[in-house]
mmCIF file of all heavy atoms in Angstrom:
data_model
loop_
_atom_site.group_PDB
_atom_site.id
_atom_site.type_symbol
_atom_site.label_atom_id
_atom_site.label_comp_id
_atom_site.label_asym_id
_atom_site.label_seq_id
_atom_site.Cartn_x
_atom_site.Cartn_y
_atom_site.Cartn_z
ATOM 1 N N VAL B 118 25.707 16.506 3.110
ATOM 2 C CA VAL B 118 25.569 15.503 2.047
ATOM 3 C C VAL B 118 24.285 15.808 1.305
ATOM 4 O O VAL B 118 23.294 15.087 1.410
ATOM 5 C CB VAL B 118 25.548 14.081 2.645
ATOM 6 C CG1 VAL B 118 25.735 13.054 1.539
ATOM 7 C CG2 VAL B 118 26.633 13.911 3.686
ATOM 8 N N HIS B 119 24.298 16.894 0.560
ATOM 9 C CA HIS B 119 23.078 17.324 -0.110
ATOM 10 C C HIS B 119 23.115 16.974 -1.598
ATOM 11 O O HIS B 119 22.100 16.624 -2.179
ATOM 12 C CB HIS B 119 22.905 18.830 0.085
ATOM 13 C CG HIS B 119 21.556 19.330 -0.316
ATOM 14 N ND1 HIS B 119 20.433 19.119 0.448
ATOM 15 C CD2 HIS B 119 21.144 20.017 -1.409
ATOM 16 C CE1 HIS B 119 19.392 19.660 -0.165
ATOM 17 N NE2 HIS B 119 19.794 20.208 -1.285
ATOM 18 N N THR B 120 24.286 17.067 -2.193
ATOM 19 C CA THR B 120 24.404 16.765 -3.627
ATOM 20 C C THR B 120 25.134 15.439 -3.817
ATOM 21 O O THR B 120 25.786 14.931 -2.902
ATOM 22 C CB THR B 120 25.208 17.858 -4.343
ATOM 23 O OG1 THR B 120 26.543 17.848 -3.810
ATOM 24 C CG2 THR B 120 24.588 19.225 -4.158
ATOM 25 N N LEU B 121 25.036 14.914 -5.012
ATOM 26 C CA LEU B 121 25.732 13.673 -5.318
ATOM 27 C C LEU B 121 27.239 13.854 -5.160
ATOM 28 O O LEU B 121 27.927 12.966 -4.652
ATOM 29 C CB LEU B 121 25.393 13.213 -6.750
ATOM 30 C CG LEU B 121 26.071 11.928 -7.208
ATOM 31 C CD1 LEU B 121 25.823 10.769 -6.244
ATOM 32 C CD2 LEU B 121 25.589 11.550 -8.614
ATOM 33 N N ALA B 122 27.743 15.024 -5.559
ATOM 34 C CA ALA B 122 29.182 15.282 -5.425
ATOM 35 C C ALA B 122 29.596 15.216 -3.958
ATOM 36 O O ALA B 122 30.654 14.646 -3.622
ATOM 37 C CB ALA B 122 29.537 16.642 -6.030
ATOM 38 N N GLU B 123 28.752 15.771 -3.086
ATOM 39 C CA GLU B 123 29.053 15.699 -1.647
ATOM 40 C C GLU B 123 28.972 14.262 -1.127
ATOM 41 O O GLU B 123 29.790 13.842 -0.305
ATOM 42 C CB GLU B 123 28.094 16.607 -0.863
ATOM 43 C CG GLU B 123 28.380 18.096 -1.073
ATOM 44 C CD GLU B 123 27.200 18.999 -0.725
ATOM 45 O OE1 GLU B 123 26.098 18.479 -0.432
ATOM 46 O OE2 GLU B 123 27.383 20.229 -0.777
ATOM 47 N N GLY B 124 27.998 13.533 -1.624
ATOM 48 C CA GLY B 124 27.875 12.125 -1.248
ATOM 49 C C GLY B 124 29.089 11.325 -1.687
ATOM 50 O O GLY B 124 29.604 10.485 -0.949
ATOM 51 N N GLU B 125 29.548 11.597 -2.895
ATOM 52 C CA GLU B 125 30.736 10.895 -3.404
ATOM 53 C C GLU B 125 31.963 11.245 -2.565
ATOM 54 O O GLU B 125 32.817 10.400 -2.312
ATOM 55 C CB GLU B 125 30.971 11.268 -4.874
ATOM 56 C CG GLU B 125 29.952 10.638 -5.812
ATOM 57 C CD GLU B 125 30.136 11.056 -7.270
ATOM 58 O OE1 GLU B 125 30.213 12.281 -7.529
ATOM 59 O OE2 GLU B 125 30.190 10.162 -8.136
ATOM 60 N N ARG B 126 32.035 12.521 -2.159
ATOM 61 C CA ARG B 126 33.191 12.944 -1.364
ATOM 62 C C ARG B 126 33.192 12.238 -0.006
ATOM 63 O O ARG B 126 34.222 11.722 0.436
ATOM 64 C CB ARG B 126 33.173 14.462 -1.178
ATOM 65 C CG ARG B 126 34.495 15.030 -0.725
ATOM 66 C CD ARG B 126 34.424 16.540 -0.628
ATOM 67 N NE ARG B 126 33.410 16.937 0.345
ATOM 68 C CZ ARG B 126 32.909 18.171 0.426
ATOM 69 N NH1 ARG B 126 33.300 19.117 -0.423
ATOM 70 N NH2 ARG B 126 32.011 18.462 1.336
ATOM 71 N N LEU B 127 32.013 12.172 0.632
ATOM 72 C CA LEU B 127 31.933 11.508 1.934
ATOM 73 C C LEU B 127 32.245 10.018 1.782
ATOM 74 O O LEU B 127 32.976 9.440 2.584
ATOM 75 C CB LEU B 127 30.547 11.712 2.556
ATOM 76 C CG LEU B 127 30.311 10.991 3.895
ATOM 77 C CD1 LEU B 127 31.328 11.418 4.949
ATOM 78 C CD2 LEU B 127 28.889 11.249 4.408
ATOM 79 N N ARG B 128 31.704 9.421 0.750
ATOM 80 C CA ARG B 128 31.975 7.998 0.499
ATOM 81 C C ARG B 128 33.476 7.757 0.337
ATOM 82 O O ARG B 128 34.044 6.828 0.918
ATOM 83 C CB ARG B 128 31.206 7.551 -0.740
ATOM 84 C CG ARG B 128 31.626 6.236 -1.343
ATOM 85 C CD ARG B 128 31.261 5.046 -0.446
ATOM 86 N NE ARG B 128 31.691 3.821 -1.096
ATOM 87 C CZ ARG B 128 30.898 3.074 -1.883
ATOM 88 N NH1 ARG B 128 29.649 3.401 -2.058
ATOM 89 N NH2 ARG B 128 31.365 1.984 -2.460
ATOM 90 N N ALA B 129 34.121 8.617 -0.451
ATOM 91 C CA ALA B 129 35.565 8.461 -0.692
ATOM 92 C C ALA B 129 36.344 8.655 0.615
ATOM 93 O O ALA B 129 37.308 7.932 0.895
ATOM 94 C CB ALA B 129 36.024 9.474 -1.740
ATOM 95 N N ARG B 130 35.888 9.614 1.407
ATOM 96 C CA ARG B 130 36.575 9.862 2.678
ATOM 97 C C ARG B 130 36.433 8.656 3.605
ATOM 98 O O ARG B 130 37.400 8.243 4.257
ATOM 99 C CB ARG B 130 35.945 11.106 3.328
ATOM 100 C CG ARG B 130 36.947 11.866 4.162
ATOM 101 C CD ARG B 130 36.358 13.106 4.793
ATOM 102 N NE ARG B 130 36.876 13.213 6.147
ATOM 103 C CZ ARG B 130 36.434 14.043 7.066
ATOM 104 N NH1 ARG B 130 35.436 14.875 6.765
ATOM 105 N NH2 ARG B 130 36.965 14.070 8.260
ATOM 106 N N LEU B 131 35.248 8.087 3.649
ATOM 107 C CA LEU B 131 35.022 6.908 4.486
ATOM 108 C C LEU B 131 35.853 5.727 3.994
ATOM 109 O O LEU B 131 36.452 4.996 4.785
ATOM 110 C CB LEU B 131 33.541 6.532 4.470
ATOM 111 C CG LEU B 131 32.613 7.429 5.299
ATOM 112 C CD1 LEU B 131 31.159 7.189 4.922
ATOM 113 C CD2 LEU B 131 32.831 7.170 6.792
ATOM 114 N N ASP B 132 35.892 5.564 2.662
ATOM 115 C CA ASP B 132 36.695 4.471 2.100
ATOM 116 C C ASP B 132 38.166 4.645 2.492
ATOM 117 O O ASP B 132 38.840 3.686 2.855
ATOM 118 C CB ASP B 132 36.555 4.434 0.573
ATOM 119 C CG ASP B 132 35.178 3.969 0.124
ATOM 120 O OD1 ASP B 132 34.406 3.457 0.976
ATOM 121 O OD2 ASP B 132 34.858 4.121 -1.073
ATOM 122 N N ALA B 133 38.636 5.908 2.440
ATOM 123 C CA ALA B 133 40.041 6.186 2.751
ATOM 124 C C ALA B 133 40.331 6.005 4.238
ATOM 125 O O ALA B 133 41.426 5.602 4.626
ATOM 126 C CB ALA B 133 40.400 7.609 2.318
ATOM 127 N N MET B 134 39.333 6.311 5.076
ATOM 128 C CA MET B 134 39.511 6.218 6.530
ATOM 129 C C MET B 134 39.311 4.806 7.042
ATOM 130 O O MET B 134 39.488 4.554 8.236
ATOM 131 C CB MET B 134 38.490 7.108 7.245
ATOM 132 C CG MET B 134 38.725 8.595 7.138
ATOM 133 S SD MET B 134 37.272 9.508 7.741
ATOM 134 C CE MET B 134 37.672 9.666 9.486
ATOM 135 N N GLU B 135 38.886 3.907 6.177
ATOM 136 C CA GLU B 135 38.519 2.540 6.581
ATOM 137 C C GLU B 135 39.476 1.997 7.638
ATOM 138 O O GLU B 135 40.687 1.934 7.435
ATOM 139 C CB GLU B 135 38.515 1.615 5.350
ATOM 140 C CG GLU B 135 37.894 0.255 5.603
ATOM 141 C CD GLU B 135 36.420 0.212 5.172
ATOM 142 O OE1 GLU B 135 35.619 1.047 5.653
ATOM 143 O OE2 GLU B 135 36.093 -0.646 4.368
ATOM 144 N N GLY B 136 38.933 1.620 8.756
ATOM 145 C CA GLY B 136 39.782 1.093 9.826
ATOM 146 C C GLY B 136 40.243 2.167 10.790
ATOM 147 O O GLY B 136 40.416 1.909 11.973
ATOM 148 N N ASP B 137 40.418 3.408 10.282
ATOM 149 C CA ASP B 137 40.886 4.487 11.153
ATOM 150 C C ASP B 137 39.722 5.177 11.869
ATOM 151 O O ASP B 137 39.787 5.428 13.064
ATOM 152 C CB ASP B 137 41.648 5.543 10.339
ATOM 153 C CG ASP B 137 42.952 4.963 9.792
ATOM 154 O OD1 ASP B 137 43.455 3.996 10.401
ATOM 155 O OD2 ASP B 137 43.443 5.486 8.782
ATOM 156 N N ALA B 138 38.707 5.477 11.086
ATOM 157 C CA ALA B 138 37.577 6.190 11.686
ATOM 158 C C ALA B 138 36.822 5.245 12.610
ATOM 159 O O ALA B 138 36.567 4.106 12.277
ATOM 160 C CB ALA B 138 36.649 6.710 10.589
ATOM 161 N N ARG B 139 36.521 5.733 13.786
ATOM 162 C CA ARG B 139 35.808 4.908 14.768
ATOM 163 C C ARG B 139 34.436 5.497 15.083
ATOM 164 O O ARG B 139 33.474 4.778 15.262
ATOM 165 C CB ARG B 139 36.603 4.875 16.085
ATOM 166 C CG ARG B 139 37.936 4.229 16.005
ATOM 167 C CD ARG B 139 37.850 2.746 16.388
ATOM 168 N NE ARG B 139 39.159 2.114 16.283
ATOM 169 C CZ ARG B 139 39.700 1.756 15.113
ATOM 170 N NH1 ARG B 139 39.025 1.925 13.997
ATOM 171 N NH2 ARG B 139 40.890 1.208 15.072
ATOM 172 N N THR B 140 34.429 6.794 15.200
ATOM 173 C CA THR B 140 33.222 7.446 15.706
ATOM 174 C C THR B 140 32.740 8.519 14.740
ATOM 175 O O THR B 140 33.529 9.221 14.111
ATOM 176 C CB THR B 140 33.508 8.123 17.063
ATOM 177 O OG1 THR B 140 34.604 9.015 16.890
ATOM 178 C CG2 THR B 140 33.841 7.094 18.123
ATOM 179 N N VAL B 141 31.428 8.624 14.664
ATOM 180 C CA VAL B 141 30.838 9.655 13.829
ATOM 181 C C VAL B 141 29.642 10.231 14.563
ATOM 182 O O VAL B 141 28.945 9.513 15.288
ATOM 183 C CB VAL B 141 30.435 9.080 12.446
ATOM 184 C CG1 VAL B 141 29.464 7.939 12.608
ATOM 185 C CG2 VAL B 141 29.837 10.145 11.548
ATOM 186 N N VAL B 142 29.476 11.539 14.417
ATOM 187 C CA VAL B 142 28.284 12.184 14.957
ATOM 188 C C VAL B 142 27.467 12.711 13.774
ATOM 189 O O VAL B 142 28.013 13.370 12.884
ATOM 190 C CB VAL B 142 28.645 13.337 15.916
ATOM 191 C CG1 VAL B 142 27.395 14.146 16.283
ATOM 192 C CG2 VAL B 142 29.300 12.778 17.179
ATOM 193 N N VAL B 143 26.196 12.371 13.774
ATOM 194 C CA VAL B 143 25.278 12.912 12.780
ATOM 195 C C VAL B 143 24.406 13.934 13.494
ATOM 196 O O VAL B 143 23.776 13.611 14.512
ATOM 197 C CB VAL B 143 24.398 11.810 12.158
ATOM 198 C CG1 VAL B 143 23.392 12.421 11.185
ATOM 199 C CG2 VAL B 143 25.268 10.771 11.454
ATOM 200 N N VAL B 144 24.409 15.146 13.000
ATOM 201 C CA VAL B 144 23.590 16.196 13.605
ATOM 202 C C VAL B 144 22.326 16.353 12.765
ATOM 203 O O VAL B 144 22.406 16.653 11.567
ATOM 204 C CB VAL B 144 24.357 17.535 13.674
ATOM 205 C CG1 VAL B 144 23.489 18.609 14.334
ATOM 206 C CG2 VAL B 144 25.668 17.357 14.424
ATOM 207 N N GLY B 145 21.188 16.124 13.389
ATOM 208 C CA GLY B 145 19.914 16.232 12.679
ATOM 209 C C GLY B 145 19.252 14.878 12.565
ATOM 210 O O GLY B 145 19.783 13.977 11.916
ATOM 211 N N ALA B 146 18.090 14.711 13.220
ATOM 212 C CA ALA B 146 17.418 13.408 13.255
ATOM 213 C C ALA B 146 16.176 13.400 12.372
ATOM 214 O O ALA B 146 15.136 12.868 12.738
ATOM 215 C CB ALA B 146 17.073 13.037 14.697
ATOM 216 N N GLY B 147 16.300 14.002 11.191
ATOM 217 C CA GLY B 147 15.236 13.892 10.196
ATOM 218 C C GLY B 147 15.480 12.663 9.326
ATOM 219 O O GLY B 147 16.350 11.837 9.624
ATOM 220 N N TYR B 148 14.741 12.552 8.235
ATOM 221 C CA TYR B 148 14.862 11.395 7.342
ATOM 222 C C TYR B 148 16.311 11.150 6.944
ATOM 223 O O TYR B 148 16.826 10.047 7.082
ATOM 224 C CB TYR B 148 14.023 11.598 6.076
ATOM 225 C CG TYR B 148 12.552 11.554 6.333
ATOM 226 C CD1 TYR B 148 11.882 12.654 6.843
ATOM 227 C CD2 TYR B 148 11.819 10.402 6.079
ATOM 228 C CE1 TYR B 148 10.520 12.599 7.113
ATOM 229 C CE2 TYR B 148 10.465 10.342 6.338
ATOM 230 C CZ TYR B 148 9.814 11.448 6.850
ATOM 231 O OH TYR B 148 8.486 11.388 7.114
ATOM 232 N N ILE B 149 16.988 12.192 6.441
ATOM 233 C CA ILE B 149 18.332 12.015 5.902
ATOM 234 C C ILE B 149 19.314 11.672 7.014
ATOM 235 O O ILE B 149 20.158 10.793 6.875
ATOM 236 C CB ILE B 149 18.798 13.299 5.171
ATOM 237 C CG1 ILE B 149 17.751 13.759 4.154
ATOM 238 C CG2 ILE B 149 20.140 13.077 4.500
ATOM 239 C CD1 ILE B 149 17.528 12.843 3.012
ATOM 240 N N GLY B 150 19.184 12.359 8.143
ATOM 241 C CA GLY B 150 20.076 12.091 9.263
ATOM 242 C C GLY B 150 19.954 10.646 9.738
ATOM 243 O O GLY B 150 20.964 9.975 10.000
ATOM 244 N N LEU B 151 18.732 10.154 9.818
ATOM 245 C CA LEU B 151 18.512 8.777 10.259
ATOM 246 C C LEU B 151 19.069 7.778 9.242
ATOM 247 O O LEU B 151 19.701 6.789 9.618
ATOM 248 C CB LEU B 151 17.019 8.527 10.474
ATOM 249 C CG LEU B 151 16.520 8.695 11.913
ATOM 250 C CD1 LEU B 151 16.862 10.067 12.472
ATOM 251 C CD2 LEU B 151 15.028 8.448 12.003
ATOM 252 N N GLU B 152 18.810 8.063 7.981
ATOM 253 C CA GLU B 152 19.303 7.149 6.945
ATOM 254 C C GLU B 152 20.828 7.129 6.931
ATOM 255 O O GLU B 152 21.446 6.073 6.749
ATOM 256 C CB GLU B 152 18.750 7.575 5.572
ATOM 257 C CG GLU B 152 17.251 7.309 5.426
ATOM 258 C CD GLU B 152 16.594 8.050 4.258
ATOM 259 O OE1 GLU B 152 17.333 8.604 3.415
ATOM 260 O OE2 GLU B 152 15.358 8.086 4.209
ATOM 261 N N LEU B 153 21.443 8.304 7.157
ATOM 262 C CA LEU B 153 22.904 8.368 7.197
ATOM 263 C C LEU B 153 23.454 7.642 8.423
ATOM 264 O O LEU B 153 24.442 6.905 8.334
ATOM 265 C CB LEU B 153 23.379 9.822 7.180
ATOM 266 C CG LEU B 153 23.276 10.518 5.822
ATOM 267 C CD1 LEU B 153 23.499 12.016 5.978
ATOM 268 C CD2 LEU B 153 24.280 9.929 4.824
ATOM 269 N N ALA B 154 22.811 7.819 9.570
ATOM 270 C CA ALA B 154 23.276 7.141 10.787
ATOM 271 C C ALA B 154 23.240 5.629 10.579
ATOM 272 O O ALA B 154 24.187 4.915 10.926
ATOM 273 C CB ALA B 154 22.408 7.553 11.974
ATOM 274 N N GLU B 155 22.138 5.135 9.985
ATOM 275 C CA GLU B 155 22.050 3.703 9.715
ATOM 276 C C GLU B 155 23.171 3.264 8.776
ATOM 277 O O GLU B 155 23.836 2.250 9.010
ATOM 278 C CB GLU B 155 20.687 3.362 9.099
ATOM 279 C CG GLU B 155 20.565 1.887 8.769
ATOM 280 C CD GLU B 155 19.303 1.529 8.003
ATOM 281 O OE1 GLU B 155 18.442 2.408 7.818
ATOM 282 O OE2 GLU B 155 19.195 0.361 7.590
ATOM 283 N N ALA B 156 23.404 4.055 7.728
ATOM 284 C CA ALA B 156 24.437 3.710 6.747
ATOM 285 C C ALA B 156 25.814 3.649 7.409
ATOM 286 O O ALA B 156 26.626 2.766 7.112
ATOM 287 C CB ALA B 156 24.435 4.734 5.609
ATOM 288 N N LEU B 157 26.067 4.572 8.327
ATOM 289 C CA LEU B 157 27.392 4.637 8.954
ATOM 290 C C LEU B 157 27.595 3.486 9.934
ATOM 291 O O LEU B 157 28.689 2.914 10.010
ATOM 292 C CB LEU B 157 27.571 6.005 9.625
ATOM 293 C CG LEU B 157 27.630 7.155 8.587
ATOM 294 C CD1 LEU B 157 27.377 8.502 9.250
ATOM 295 C CD2 LEU B 157 28.967 7.151 7.841
ATOM 296 N N VAL B 158 26.532 3.102 10.643
ATOM 297 C CA VAL B 158 26.630 1.928 11.518
ATOM 298 C C VAL B 158 26.856 0.672 10.675
ATOM 299 O O VAL B 158 27.640 -0.208 11.034
ATOM 300 C CB VAL B 158 25.367 1.799 12.405
ATOM 301 C CG1 VAL B 158 25.340 0.454 13.125
ATOM 302 C CG2 VAL B 158 25.326 2.938 13.421
ATOM 303 N N THR B 159 26.169 0.613 9.538
ATOM 304 C CA THR B 159 26.347 -0.520 8.633
ATOM 305 C C THR B 159 27.812 -0.647 8.218
ATOM 306 O O THR B 159 28.320 -1.744 8.018
ATOM 307 C CB THR B 159 25.460 -0.337 7.375
ATOM 308 O OG1 THR B 159 24.113 -0.188 7.801
ATOM 309 C CG2 THR B 159 25.573 -1.514 6.426
ATOM 310 N N ARG B 160 28.475 0.497 8.097
ATOM 311 C CA ARG B 160 29.895 0.484 7.718
ATOM 312 C C ARG B 160 30.802 0.190 8.907
ATOM 313 O O ARG B 160 32.024 0.247 8.781
ATOM 314 C CB ARG B 160 30.290 1.837 7.120
ATOM 315 C CG ARG B 160 29.695 2.079 5.751
ATOM 316 C CD ARG B 160 30.361 3.253 5.081
ATOM 317 N NE ARG B 160 31.765 2.980 4.837
ATOM 318 C CZ ARG B 160 32.389 3.137 3.687
ATOM 319 N NH1 ARG B 160 31.717 3.561 2.643
ATOM 320 N NH2 ARG B 160 33.665 2.881 3.569
ATOM 321 N N GLY B 161 30.254 -0.026 10.081
ATOM 322 C CA GLY B 161 31.074 -0.395 11.228
ATOM 323 C C GLY B 161 31.460 0.759 12.125
ATOM 324 O O GLY B 161 32.248 0.588 13.057
#
Side-chain angles (χ1 to χ4, degrees):
Chain B
V118 193
H119 192 75
T120 64
L121 179 54
E123 289 160 353
E125 288 177 308
R126 196 177 61 196
L127 177 58
R128 165 69 180 266
R130 211 179 140 191
L131 285 165
D132 289 348
M134 288 169 89
E135 191 96 304
D137 293 335
R139 296 266 179 283
T140 55
V141 58
V142 170
V143 177
V144 181
Y148 291 80
I149 309 294
L151 265 55
E152 289 164 12
L153 285 168
E155 179 187 354
L157 293 162
V158 169
T159 303
R160 289 193 64 129

